[in-house]
Amino acid sequence: MSVAIATEAAKRVEQFVATFIPNRFTDPAGEKTLPAGDSLIPLSWNPGSPVSARTLILAAENRLEQIHEAILVCAPPALRKPPADLTSSEIELMINDHIKGWFFLVKELSAVFKLRQSGTLAFALSELEGGNGKDEPPDILGPSVVASFRAFVQSVLAGSQNEPFQVMGFSAPAGADVNGFGTFVFKTLDEGGKRNNGKWHKFGRGFFGR
């Protein structure tokens, strides 16, 4: 989903910044395939570090001059293990990369938009596919991360009415067309306005408020 949104961004703007949370569990060396072209500026980010979050925002501003919109995409990898088999390092990575990191990043982006009195902070997530194989352990990472992200975003949306910038949430059902979802996100952002601000917008089902 994050790649689909980056691909859609490449069609719409001259330049944009993208960074991904590395998958340190099932594919530690793997990288997401970014859309080709000169518009994308890849930057690195260590989600568990507040300093890295600030450095990322400063780097983005230096490259773009100004951040107008930020889209944070929750797409956690699966980690299928019984709790007893989890290592301490895996638990640290789960919390730092996929939960704590969003708080640091939203803090920095909100401060930038509040100081400038404008901007758009958007959140996107996809519902996880349900069910596991007969002999496959349940995913212990994905559902926990999505639930945390959703609760965090809900709180940010609830407090957004008095902010000088826009805040929107987007979600897609499991198995949805990710490219269509990317188009939907940007179309709604383009429309802007108070009608769309502070709400979840559900792909394929209109939108619902807080």
Side-chain angles (χ1 to χ4, degrees), residues 56-193:
L56 173 63
I57 300 307
L58 290 173
E61 289 185 309
N62 287 336
R63 300 298 294 272
L64 301 175
E65 295 186 3
Q66 194 174 86
I67 302 172
H68 297 283
E69 295 176 347
I71 305 174
L72 310 187
V73 182
C74 179
L79 180 60
R80 300 187 182 280
K81 279 188 173 185
D85 292 345
L86 286 171
T87 66
S88 297
S89 61
E90 285 174 333
I91 295 172
E92 289 287 344
L93 287 174
M94 286 170 58
I95 302 299
N96 288 339
D97 283 3
H98 298 282
I99 296 178
K100 187 190 294 184
W102 296 124
F103 285 80
F104 291 144
L105 197 55
V106 169
K107 173 185 180 298
E108 296 297 339
L109 286 166
S110 297
V112 168
F113 291 152
K114 193 164 188 173
L115 180 64
R116 197 183 331 133
Q117 298 285 295
S118 67
T120 299
L121 177 60
F123 302 88
L125 68 88
S126 177
E127 303 294 342
L128 298 174
E129 296 284 354
N132 303 289
K134 183 178 179 181
D135 300 318
E136 190 175 28
D139 177 9
I140 203 168
L141 172 61
S144 299
V145 170
V146 168
S148 173
F149 186 82
R150 187 191 302 278
F152 176 47
V153 173
Q154 191 67 35
S155 295
V156 176
L157 290 171
S160 66
Q161 296 303 316
N162 295 323
E163 295 289 2
F165 55 90
Q166 288 199 317
V167 183
M168 301 183 198
F170 298 89
S171 63
D177 171 20
V178 292
N179 294 320
F181 180 56
T183 301
F184 169 73
V185 168
F186 278 93
K187 181 178 182 296
T188 308
L189 292 177
D190 289 344
E191 292 173 353

Side-chain angles (χ1 to χ4, degrees), residues 24-59:
R24 307 181 205 254
F25 298 104
T26 58
D27 186 16
E31 293 290 340
K32 293 181 182 292
T33 303
L34 296 170
D38 298 329
S39 61
L40 184 144
I41 303 170
L43 293 178
S44 60
W45 172 40
N46 176 11
S49 165
V51 175
S52 182
R54 181 58 180 155
T55 301
L56 173 63
I57 300 307
L58 290 173

